[in-house]
Amino acid sequence: MILKDKNIILGVTGAISAYKSLEITRLLVKEDARVFPVMTGSAREFITPLSLSTLARCRVFNDLFEHDMESRISHIELAEKADLVIIAPATANFIGKLSAGLADDLLSTIILATRAPVVVAPSMNSRMYENPVVSENIKRLKGLGFNFVGPEYGELACGYEGKGRLADVEDIVEAARECLSKKDFLGEKVLVTAGPTREAIDPVRFVSNASSGRMGYAIARACKRRGAEVVLVSGPSYLTPPKDVTFVKVQSAEEMADVAIRYYPQSTVVIMAAAIADYRPIKAHPAKVKKDSKFLTVEMERTMDILKEMGEKKKGRFLVGFALETEEMEENAKRKLREKNLDLVIANSPGGLDSEVNQVIIIDRYDNVEFLPPLKKDEVAEKILDRIIAMKK
Ligand code: CTP
């Protein structure tokens, strides 16, 4: 969505991780971006232009002085048409060139000539990365508005272990989305909850539900992209937490309540996407329950309704709840909106629980009802944020 029809110049320089630029290209094309690959001479030692051009569905540009009459396009034209430039991987040498303002090849010339934002994903040996000259170059470029993503700590191709690995390809694409995203959540402090909770029966068994956390994580990412400060409180989930958000992992409904209520006073917007247990075993057995009787009864008690508590102390905050319904979706969701004093409620069915896709109904406190088609959770998240902003205006 955010990258759709955007002109993205993907600069590839000569590092062993150059092969990952193929995956970055694939991810960008999957989101309908138009990728214009530009390779430096040393990048061509690591991967072939043919692989990159095949995935990008576009020829590779690599020579400042090339005059290909068929598809002639100058560095200035490329620089002008770009909505974004990504350099992945960016070597220490290329970062040095950028920092010094040199323009001795096609890629560095484009970067000097463009007005588009630039994402730089460094990749190098950890000793090189720690070198004060490289640190100073990166600091200078950051100060000038270049957007850095990574590098990360890990095993390096040269046999070292340290900081210098190219950032995860998904993180590089997310940095691209963030650069091109509107910033209408600047100044907002958003508290998001996600995932299921686990209520212990004994040390190895628990009561839980099928929530994956995907919807809440997608909302947290979207808020961050759009400029908010984000706190994500998550029940058990296998998902990777979004970068640059305050992330708190919890297990039970009680822990979720403690953390959410701690962050509540400082929040301007709260989005409760977590599937929090309504009941928990009154007593968790200290030792594993043995199967020595025919029946087992687990007595349960109510947990705190966190969102209802928040609704009672709402003041100027904007509260968004989810309503998971198997029947009478709209009516039940509207009732929850009123009972919990919400501004928006997102009604969905269990079908969306452990899926990439969700079909929701957005209902606001003025009874406006919007039925959305099945959409990827990232898209649902953007729609929810659009509604929040429209109502806050
Ligand atoms: N919620 C909460 N605390 C709970 C249970 C739910 O804050 N103990 C929040 C959820 O995060 C969600 C909203 O309340 O945003 C509605 O949750 P849902 O499970 O759909 O409804 P309940 O209020 O629990 O009502 P019921 O289970 O009876 O449908």
Side-chain angles (χ1 to χ4, degrees):
M1 319 148 276
I2 297 167
L3 301 180
K4 187 170 164 36
D5 295 333
K6 293 287 189 280
N7 294 324
I8 300 180
I9 294 181
L10 177 64
V12 184
T13 72
I16 195 87
S17 58
Y19 72 94
K20 293 188 183 166
S21 64
L22 300 172
E23 181 63 4
I24 297 170
T25 304
R26 200 185 63 78
L27 293 173
L28 295 172
V29 168
K30 204 168 133 198
E31 294 194 31
D32 291 333
R34 283 191 285 267
V35 181
F36 299 87
V38 179
M39 294 174 85
T40 62
S42 43
R44 290 198 299 277
E45 300 289 328
F46 289 94
I47 58 165
T48 69
L50 181 63
S51 314
L52 201 53
S53 64
T54 307
L55 287 167
R57 300 172 193 164
C58 174
R59 59 168 288 219
V60 169
F61 302 87
N62 42 44
D63 189 351
L64 189 55
F65 303 106
E66 131 190 271
H67 288 288
D68 171 354
M69 294 309 287
E70 267 170 47
S71 50
R72 194 162 159 181
I73 178 164
S74 74
H75 59 281
I76 299 296
E77 278 174 84
L78 273 173
E80 267 176 16
K81 75 173 356 199
D83 295 300
L84 178 75
V85 180
I86 302 173
I87 313 163
T91 57
N93 177 59
F94 195 78
I95 290 170
K97 254 204 296 199
L98 278 188
S99 170
L102 297 183
D104 64 349
D105 61 11
L106 182 61
L107 186 57
S108 51
T109 311
I110 288 171
I111 293 167
L112 275 196
T114 193
R115 295 283 169 272
V118 182
V119 170
V120 186
S123 172
M124 65 196 75
N125 164 273
S126 53
R127 294 267 177 95
M128 289 170 85
Y129 181 67
E130 284 158 13
N131 188 301
V133 176
V134 175
S135 308
E136 279 302 310
N137 285 339
I138 292 179
K139 199 167 133 201
R140 176 175 152 76
L141 290 169
K142 281 184 179 167
L144 293 170
F146 286 79
N147 306 281
F148 277 77
V149 50
E152 277 168 15
Y153 187 92
E155 238 175 68
L156 303 170
C158 51
Y160 280 68
E161 189 174 317
K163 203 164 177 186
R165 266 175 82 98
L166 184 74
D168 195 83
V169 289
E170 287 285 352
D171 291 339
I172 295 171
V173 174
E174 179 62 16
R177 291 190 202 103
E178 186 164 341
C179 268
L180 294 174
S181 193
K182 49 192 166 189
K183 297 290 171 219
D184 49 0
F185 269 68
L186 263 177
E188 301 292 350
K189 290 170 189 269
V190 188
L191 169 62
V192 183
T193 65
T197 60
R198 285 182 182 173
E199 311 305 321
I201 295 172
D202 70 15
V204 291
R205 302 184 179 95
F206 50 78
V207 180
S208 190
N209 60 64
S211 168
S212 64
R214 280 201 192 93
M215 192 64 246
Y217 281 52
I219 291 171
R221 269 198 308 274
C223 290
K224 166 73 188 43
R225 272 200 299 269
R226 288 167 75 154
E229 255 180 66
V230 181
V231 176
L232 173 61
V233 187
S234 172
S237 167
Y238 294 107
L239 302 176
T240 310
K243 285 245 170 332
D244 302 321
V245 308
T246 303
F247 180 73
V248 189
K249 200 156 190 178
V250 297
Q251 291 282 327
S252 64
E254 193 176 9
E255 281 174 38
M256 175 81 74
D258 283 350
V259 178
I261 284 172
R262 176 150 40 94
Y263 282 102
Y264 186 57
Q266 68 180 52
S267 309
T268 57
V269 176
V270 178
I271 308 175
M272 295 285 284
I276 302 156
D278 292 323
Y279 291 92
R280 67 167 159 246
I282 292 178
K283 191 172 146 293
H285 290 263
K288 191 179 168 208
V289 177
K290 291 289 176 197
K291 55 174 184 300
D292 36 31
S293 58
K294 191 159 182 211
F295 297 101
L296 173 71
T297 305
V298 180
E299 224 185 325
M300 313 263 278
E301 64 184 354
R302 282 284 300 271
T303 58
M304 178 206 281
D305 189 326
I306 308 168
L307 195 48
K308 191 149 188 273
E309 282 284 309
M310 289 176 168
E312 282 161 15
K313 304 183 183 92
K314 186 171 169 183
K315 301 218 170 98
R317 293 181 192 87
F318 195 98
L319 293 190
V320 184
F322 273 71
L324 183 67
E325 308 296 343
T326 48
E327 57 204 350
E328 293 172 4
M329 228 159 136
E330 202 180 319
E331 293 67 34
N332 283 333
K334 282 183 175 168
R335 181 177 47 75
K336 283 178 191 172
L337 179 131
R338 278 191 305 276
E339 283 175 6
K340 303 191 190 200
N341 194 18
L342 307 179
D343 298 285
L344 270 189
V345 69
I346 318 300
N348 58 353
S349 66
L353 264 183
D354 189 16
S355 156
E356 300 278 348
V357 170
N358 205 3
Q359 181 167 19
V360 306
I361 310 173
I362 301 183
I363 304 170
D364 71 17
R365 63 164 181 261
Y366 308 112
D367 265 354
N368 294 311
V369 180
E370 184 186 2
F371 291 83
L372 294 182
L375 294 171
K376 290 212 185 98
K377 288 185 175 173
D378 282 317
E379 293 174 87
V380 176
E382 291 285 343
K383 299 266 183 211
I384 295 170
L385 300 204
D386 288 345
R387 281 297 287 276
I388 296 174
I389 285 299
M391 284 177 75
K392 272 176 86 77
K393 267 186 194 151

